[in-house]
């Protein structure tokens, strides 16, 4: 096999030997294997400084993560059989949890398929290809997806921000087969409409499945404030469990429009919707002296890059502070962070500071993360990105 080689600097093989999949550009011996000589996405063999085989991966000289490994041995054939095996295992893991019809079927590094995300909405798939390496293998992957799922259509969402870091263009979505304007997802006995072409990410946030169910259990007889509500997943689940009322806040009018649709479809009362910036809406609700038994805060990642850390952390703290003031005494405050750069400890501290800011006391009565269809790679902490805190908040 005439595959190009990437050589590591002495000592940089240890993390990879322990199972990690990323080679950073500064770990490469560029005298022996100049990064600039590679076309983005090319398959390579990776060797340590002594010439011992480390793995098979794909290279991208434009990215800080210069190589992502697909296998931990050199010269592994990356062909249809390879993808059949990997995707087959990923599906089998979902089957164990009954999540193989609606859910994330492939979660990138977590399924040892870096750069590939596949969400399944029954008879349709929505795919995100985030790296040049996976883009180059797309046809092969598509053949295997068609084999494994026999879908009516596959939609490629090519607007993933990560593509920019790889030097890939951000483009309109493209479909294989037929993909209608709207799809449905079933979750917890409810049905939600999703907009695969124009919705956020692939159209639905499967990672919050468990939390939508858990939050709903806190809601019977209470008012819920659903902040960063998107298409109303938390609101509708809570109303179906007997919440007295739900108020959904989001800056996206399109997303909130689907909330009403989802309420109707599940025969629950229509949530009141507020199209606004979340911070403004929380201040406005305080001014009008509104109170809620449960508040859920599910913002987008406030820390997208490491350099946003301080500012992002402060945003979580401010959010908690504003929300805690709106709670009944006692009340539940549930906050999620999907920032992979934020550790659970720092997040908990920001939560604590926010509660103090509001002059309240908290006890944490639960913590959680992403569901089993978003498996965490044990050597790659970034793959465990979702953190959820359940606080029981009281007046001092
Ligand atoms: N809770 C949702 C998912 C939330 S995704 C669910 O369970 O499905 C994050 C949402 O935050 C998006 O809908 C986005 O439109 C919204 N958003 C982002 N920044 C915002 C802001 N500053 N104010 C209000 N909404 C915001």
């Amino acid at each position: 096999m005439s595959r190009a080689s990437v050589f590591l600097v002495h000592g940089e093989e240890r993390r990879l030997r322990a199972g990690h999949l990323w080679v950073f550009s500064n770990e490469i011996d560029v005298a022996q294997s100049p990064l600039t000589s590679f076309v983005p996405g090319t398959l390579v063999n990776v060797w340590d400084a002594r010439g011992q085989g480390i793995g098979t991966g794909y290279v991208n000289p434009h990215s800080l993560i210069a190589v992502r490994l697909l296998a931990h041995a050199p010269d592994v054939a990356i062909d249809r059989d390879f993808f059949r095996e990997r995707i087959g295992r990923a599906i089998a893991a979902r089957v164990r949890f009954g999540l193989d019809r609606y859910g994330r079927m492939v979660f990138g590094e977590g399924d040892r398929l870096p750069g590939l995300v596949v969400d399944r909405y029954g008879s349709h798939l929505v795919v995100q290809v985030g790296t040049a390496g996976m883009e180059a293998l797309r046809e092969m992957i598509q053949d295997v997806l068609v084999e494994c799922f026999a879908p009516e259509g596959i939609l490629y969402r090519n607007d993933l921000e990560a593509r920019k870091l790889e030097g890939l263009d951000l483009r309109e979505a493209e479909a294989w087969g037929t993909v209608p304007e709207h799809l449905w997802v079933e979750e917890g006995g409810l049905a939600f409409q999703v907009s695969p072409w124009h919705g956020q990410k692939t159209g639905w946030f499967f990672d919050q499945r468990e939390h939508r169910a858990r939050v709903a259990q806190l809601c019977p007889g209470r008012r819920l404030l659903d902040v960063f509500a998107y298409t109303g997943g938390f609101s509708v689940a809570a109303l179906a469990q007997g919440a007295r009322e739900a108020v959904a806040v989001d800056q996206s009018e399109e997303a909130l429009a689907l909330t009403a649709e989802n309420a109707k479809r599940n025969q629950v009362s229509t949530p009141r919707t507020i199209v606004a910036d979340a911070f403004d809406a929380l201040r406005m609700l305080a001014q009008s002296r509104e109170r809620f038994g449960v508040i859920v805060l599910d913002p987008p990642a406030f820390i997208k890059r490491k350099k946003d850390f301080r500012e992002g952390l402060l945003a979580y703290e401010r959010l908690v502070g504003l929300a805690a003031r709106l709670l009944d005494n006692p009340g539940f405050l549930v906050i999620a962070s999907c920032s992979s750069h934020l550790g659970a400890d720092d997040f908990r501290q920001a939560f604590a500071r926010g509660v103090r800011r509001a002059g309240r006391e908290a006890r944490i009565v639960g913590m959680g993360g992403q569901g089993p269809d978003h498996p965490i790679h044990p050597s790659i902490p970034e793959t465990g990105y979702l953190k959820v805190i359940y606080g029981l908040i009281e007046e001092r």
Side-chain angles (χ1 to χ4, degrees), residues 20-140:
H20 209 291
L21 302 174
W22 296 348
V23 182
F24 293 97
S25 53
N26 63 347
E27 297 168 347
I28 292 171
D29 179 349
V30 287
Q32 276 211 72
S33 43
L35 268 175
T36 46
S37 65
F38 293 107
V39 174
T42 311
L43 288 173
V44 292
N45 285 327
V46 179
W47 311 91
D48 74 7
R50 285 170 305 170
Q52 306 255 356
I54 295 295
T56 295
Y58 56 75
V59 65
N60 188 342
H62 301 312
S63 171
L64 213 58
I65 304 172
V67 178
R68 291 177 203 243
L69 294 186
L70 292 163
H72 278 97
D75 284 325
V76 170
I78 305 302
D79 53 11
R80 282 174 181 72
D81 279 340
F82 169 83
F83 285 108
R84 272 183 202 115
E85 195 263 347
R86 280 291 155 86
I87 294 173
R89 281 193 196 215
I91 297 170
R94 275 60 176 177
V95 168
R96 289 173 187 276
F97 295 94
L99 297 177
D100 54 317
R101 195 156 167 79
Y102 298 96
R104 180 151 292 186
M105 300 298 119
V106 175
F107 178 51
E109 274 77 352
D111 287 300
R112 291 183 299 139
L113 286 167
L116 181 67
V117 163
V118 179
D119 280 355
R120 183 174 188 192
Y121 298 92
S123 48
H124 292 83
L125 302 175
V126 183
V127 174
Q128 290 180 315
V129 174
T131 58
M134 278 299 176
E135 186 72 47
L137 297 163
R138 198 162 113 173
E139 244 184 73
M140 209 186 278

Side-chain angles (χ1 to χ4, degrees), residues 200 205 208 212 228-230 233-234 250-252 276-278 298-300:
Q200 298 184 31
F205 292 88
Q208 290 286 15
R212 281 185 286 263
F228 305 96
Y230 189 48
F234 280 100
D250 203 285
Q251 69 185 12
S252 160
D277 170 71
D298 184 20

